[in-house]
Amino acid sequence: MKLLTSAASPFVRKVLVTLHETGQIDEVETIDVHNTPLAPHPAVAAANPTGKIPALIRSDAPALYDSRVICRYLDHRAEAGLYPENRIWDTLTLEATADGILDAAVLIIYEERFRPTEKVSMEWIEGQWTKVSRALDALNTRWMSHLNGRMDMGHIAIGCALGYLDFRHDARQWRTGRDALAGWYAGFAERPSMLATAPKA
């Protein structure tokens, strides 16, 4: 299998952490590509018609894309139990919350990076950050019992989302007023899978 990646992508990181945690990292060749929303790499566009990474190219079947699909596939392939049936809806909701954080956080970067300076909307940027902030508050107040339990895909997704906030939005100081979540992340970030996949500019 081949995984189309970008070193800075938090969605790629979710897949890489999953590969590490399920013992499959040596079974996948990673191919780093330069991919932007305005100019997707040809290999990415061929694997995923939306032009987004990550994309997992399989030799015996069509390519898989969207990090949630790929992670679910890898978990199934390894029978790793990252989507436990007895709490599947909570796990999926946490993963969706993490992806919602990432969608908003990445869109802020796109707004600042790909729009002409005179057309950048600070109101729109703050609207995206409000989504992130609400999600972080929900994690800190409603989801700590789950996060403090046995690791599943929700943990991986939230860990990668918080890592991306540190990487691209550190000035926002997301930890302020969210001590429980910050404390959980301090421990989770030290997992070998997280250390091995730390984002690069």
Side-chain angles (χ1 to χ4, degrees):
M1 296 185 291
K2 298 179 180 180
L3 182 68
L4 302 182
T5 72
S6 173
S9 168
F11 296 104
V12 167
R13 190 183 189 193
K14 272 180 57 185
V15 175
L16 293 175
V17 171
T18 301
L19 285 167
H20 278 280
E21 293 287 351
T22 59
Q24 300 178 87
I25 190 66
D26 292 333
E27 300 178 38
V28 176
E29 177 187 357
T30 57
I31 302 173
D32 197 56
V33 297
H34 181 70
N35 202 66
T36 77
L38 301 181
H41 190 279
V44 176
N48 178 358
T50 70
K52 296 180 179 180
I53 52 172
L56 183 67
I57 300 173
R58 302 176 292 171
S59 61
D60 59 346
L64 298 178
Y65 46 88
D66 188 284
S67 63
R68 278 180 279 193
V69 174
I70 297 172
C71 289
R72 192 73 181 261
Y73 169 76
L74 293 172
D75 176 69
H76 175 78
R77 185 173 184 267
E79 299 181 346
L82 292 175
Y83 292 90
E85 192 60 36
N86 65 336
R87 58 179 190 278
I88 187 63
W89 303 117
D90 288 350
T91 300
L92 291 175
T93 298
L94 270 179
E95 187 178 11
T97 300
D99 281 6
I101 290 171
L102 289 177
D103 285 338
V106 169
L107 285 173
I108 291 172
I109 297 300
Y110 285 173
E111 178 75 5
E112 295 171 338
R113 186 172 294 175
F114 295 110
R115 278 192 185 277
T117 303
E118 67 276 9
K119 293 185 178 180
V120 171
S121 170
M122 293 308 300
E123 182 180 13
W124 193 87
I125 286 173
E126 291 308 313
Q128 297 304 313
W129 185 256
T130 297
K131 297 175 187 178
V132 174
S133 186
R134 281 199 306 262
L136 294 173
D137 288 343
L139 293 172
N140 191 66
T141 58
R142 298 181 215 161
W143 290 100
M144 293 313 304
S145 61
H146 187 109
L147 289 174
N148 287 322
R150 181 178 177 274
M151 191 188 75
D152 58 28
M153 184 51 62
H155 296 69
I156 292 174
I158 295 298
C160 291
L162 298 179
Y164 186 74
L165 296 184
D166 280 348
F167 179 54
R168 291 298 195 203
H169 300 286
D170 187 51
R172 296 276 186 170
Q173 299 183 344
W174 67 263
R175 292 170 178 78
T176 302
R178 303 181 182 103
D179 292 347
L181 184 60
W184 172 81
Y185 178 66
F188 192 81
E190 292 301 313
R191 293 184 71 88
S193 62
M194 292 291 286
L195 295 174
T197 59
K200 301 172 185 176

